[in-house]
Amino acid sequence: MRVLNVLKVFLVAVVMAVGIQGTAFAGSQDFTLVNGTGKIITYIYLSPTHENEWIYQDELGPNSVLYPGQDLFIGFSPRDGVQYWDVKVVYDNGVEDYWMGLDLFRVYSLTIRPGGASSIEMI
């Protein structure tokens, strides 16, 4: 009987640990976007890869720009448990660039380069 109680306590602890780990993992898409394009960025859009429209629009905020070499921390709500995301930027001359299918569960820092090229620092 005592072994059965110890086993129950162990199983409850395992279930709680898995639940806590899942909750911590849910908001881990946060990353830093570094402007390595050499151009002024006026708009940043983000969307899950499977979506057909840009869910997060103008991440810079009104009247803001991201100059070459500057970075921006982009944080997500815990409800945004999507793994793969697309990023679109619009430069001050109206030209757009895209980075598709980024695994934001693994990206710590994303340096974007012209034409969709990037360098990624992984967690």
Side-chain angles (χ1 to χ4, degrees), residues 1-15:
M1 191 68 165
R2 184 168 172 84
V3 172
L4 187 58
N5 285 338
V6 170
L7 184 58
K8 285 181 186 177
V9 170
F10 176 75
L11 288 175
V12 168
V14 168
V15 169

Side-chain angles (χ1 to χ4, degrees), residues 2-69:
R2 184 168 172 84
V3 172
L4 187 58
N5 285 338
V6 170
L7 184 58
K8 285 181 186 177
V9 170
F10 176 75
L11 288 175
V12 168
V14 168
V15 169
M16 288 176 60
V18 169
I20 290 170
Q21 181 181 11
T23 302
F25 191 68
S28 63
Q29 305 97 321
D30 299 351
F31 70 102
T32 299
L33 179 77
V34 181
N35 182 0
T37 64
K39 302 174 186 175
I40 298 172
I41 295 173
T42 54
Y43 297 99
I44 298 173
Y45 300 90
L46 295 132
S47 185
T49 296
H50 67 273
E51 292 288 336
N52 292 327
E53 59 187 66
W54 297 100
I55 303 301
Y56 291 97
Q57 300 185 14
D58 194 12
E59 287 297 302
L60 286 171
N63 304 316
S64 296
V65 297
L66 192 65
Y67 290 100

Side-chain angles (χ1 to χ4, degrees), residues 33-119:
L33 179 77
V34 181
N35 182 0
T37 64
K39 302 174 186 175
I40 298 172
I41 295 173
T42 54
Y43 297 99
I44 298 173
Y45 300 90
L46 295 132
S47 185
T49 296
H50 67 273
E51 292 288 336
N52 292 327
E53 59 187 66
W54 297 100
I55 303 301
Y56 291 97
Q57 300 185 14
D58 194 12
E59 287 297 302
L60 286 171
N63 304 316
S64 296
V65 297
L66 192 65
Y67 290 100
Q70 286 186 322
D71 60 54
L72 173 70
F73 176 78
I74 298 178
F76 287 84
S77 168
R79 63 179 166 73
D80 296 323
V82 178
Q83 184 170 3
Y84 295 98
W85 290 79
D86 300 336
V87 175
K88 173 177 101 169
V89 301
V90 180
Y91 302 112
D92 62 345
N93 63 0
V95 173
E96 300 175 352
D97 255 337
Y98 301 87
W99 294 265
M100 311 300 269
L102 300 169
D103 182 351
L104 293 188
F105 282 146
R106 299 182 66 202
V107 172
Y108 170 76
S109 179
L110 171 67
T111 301
I112 55 175
R113 312 241 186 256
S118 62
S119 59

